[in-house]
Amino acid sequence: MGKLDGKVALVSGAGRGIGRAIALKLVAEGARVVINDLDAEPAAETAERIRARGGDAALCVGSVTDATFGERFVATALESFGALDIIVNNAGYTWDNVIQKMTDEQFQAIMDVHVTAPFRILRAAAEPIRRFAKAEAAAGREVFRKVVNISSVSGLGGNAGQVNYASAKAAVVGMTKALAKEWGRYKVTVNCVAFGFIRTRLAQPLTAQPNLIDVAGRQIAIGVQPAMIDALEKQMIPLGRLGTPEEAADGVYLFCSPESDYISGQVVTVGGGITF
Ligand SMILES: NC(=O)c1ccc[n+]([C@@H]2O[C@H](COP(=O)([O-])OP(=O)(O)OC[C@H]3O[C@@H](n4cnc5c(N)ncnc54)[C@H](O)[C@@H]3O)[C@@H](O)[C@H]2O)c1
């Protein structure tokens, strides 16, 4: 028996890194999952891994920034599994620069993926969630649903070179708190997990040649200075190392599990002890 038996989850950006680990964790606890990623191949690989473990996954490939993506994501859950219980807004990336070199496109792209996209996904989920919740209330049943939005220590404490990303990840906190107040009546808990430094491609050490990721045809430099990683591990992260994607996923799972049914509107940092 898993703690999420019978539950249906949406996980965006689940083709790699933390999103993939979240999807695998939810499935290990019994959930069925709709896998989204911008990139088809890694998304399909996550779904294959889930099926290889005897789990159930549906695919919804494409950019969360497409105007109609939210409706498509929610419809995939309803059409594939007939339910919608957990939404994890995880998809995203960084596109750093100091403010004087940051373009409008660069600022807006990061707001679009981290703020507008989760807003549209949650708005699209409102109708089925209210419908399910009203039917359950009429039948005298209290069924909890879960939203977990992903933020960052950059959004809580700021980070040089990330005016766009820090603004977007701070906005996610406001969205979380507002929706927790709107959706309490439907028994939906809405929480936020702010990651510290997790070993994925976003936090890999910078080399002489910048590491580039392809985001919808744009080549974007990512990575962290090796000296910064050293300082983080020796001085700034109390637990002394970066986190793994699995540890990050465990933090998200806390807010998906029945043990968090009476916790809503909260932000938890999963950062090896980093506090603000
Ligand atoms: N790794 C860290 O240290 C760290 C720290 C704080 C917050 N975060 C946040 O955690 C989340 C996951 O990051 P990660 O480290 O696993 O990165 P990752 O690059 O390993 O995985 C992110 C996935 O999201 C997908 N994605 C990006 N843009 C998308 C879009 N428009 N539509 C659909 N999918 C898209 C990517 O293709 C990728 O597969 C992000 O929101 C990130 O900002 C990460």
Side-chain angles (χ1 to χ4, degrees):
M1 283 281 286
K3 292 211 166 175
L4 303 181
D5 281 349
K7 303 290 185 190
V8 172
L10 302 180
V11 184
S12 68
R16 296 187 185 83
I18 299 166
R20 172 177 283 179
I22 293 168
L24 293 172
K25 176 69 184 176
L26 300 184
V27 167
E29 288 296 332
R32 292 166 290 167
V33 181
V34 181
I35 300 296
N36 155 263
D37 205 279
L38 184 58
D39 300 324
E41 217 172 290
E45 202 186 307
T46 302
E48 270 162 40
R49 284 199 200 183
I50 288 170
R51 292 181 192 127
R53 295 172 189 195
D56 231 341
L59 277 172
C60 186
V61 172
S63 178
V64 293
T65 62
D66 291 346
T68 57
F69 175 79
E71 277 82 22
R72 194 158 65 83
F73 205 16
V74 167
T76 306
L78 299 177
E79 284 159 19
S80 305
F81 303 125
L84 178 55
D85 302 285
I86 296 167
I87 302 173
V88 184
N89 280 308
N90 166 80
Y93 59 96
T94 51
W95 191 4
D96 298 351
N97 220 332
V98 289
I99 193 166
Q100 65 272 24
K101 294 184 183 164
M102 189 173 285
T103 63
D104 283 359
E105 183 201 9
Q106 195 170 358
F107 185 83
Q108 197 56 53
I110 291 299
M111 295 300 281
D112 287 348
V113 72
H114 293 284
V115 187
T116 312
F119 156 68
R120 289 192 183 132
I121 291 166
L122 295 167
R123 184 177 59 185
E127 188 280 321
I129 282 179
R130 290 169 70 234
R131 180 161 40 87
F132 290 137
K134 283 179 182 170
E136 287 151 4
R141 293 195 303 130
E142 194 173 52
V143 177
F144 287 90
R145 291 185 169 76
K146 311 279 184 168
V147 173
V148 186
N149 294 320
I150 301 304
S151 185
S152 162
V153 291
S154 178
L156 305 185
N159 193 18
Q162 292 193 324
V163 158
N164 54 357
Y165 184 72
S167 302
K169 288 304 201 186
V172 165
V173 173
M175 190 185 313
T176 298
K177 294 190 179 202
L179 199 60
K181 291 194 162 82
E182 272 186 40
W183 280 6
R185 73 186 67 176
Y186 304 121
K187 309 292 175 192
V188 181
T189 68
V190 186
N191 291 293
C192 181
V193 173
F195 297 131
F197 296 86
I198 308 296
R199 277 204 188 278
T200 67
R201 65 180 189 162
L202 288 192
Q204 59 188 295
L206 273 174
T207 51
Q209 285 294 331
N211 302 306
L212 298 176
I213 59 168
D214 183 302
V215 179
R218 271 196 218 107
Q219 303 300 310
I220 293 176
I222 43 113
V224 179
Q225 292 288 353
M228 174 72 171
I229 294 181
D230 199 50
L232 281 167
E233 298 200 322
K234 291 200 173 112
Q235 296 163 33
M236 293 159 75
I237 302 175
L239 289 175
R241 60 168 176 78
L242 271 60
T244 66
E246 290 71 29
E247 288 167 332
D250 285 345
V252 172
Y253 168 69
L254 293 177
F255 285 133
C256 299
S257 70
E259 281 82 353
S260 62
D261 279 353
Y262 200 63
I263 304 174
S264 193
Q266 304 303 308
V267 184
V268 161
T269 302
V270 176
I274 295 176
T275 55
F276 291 95

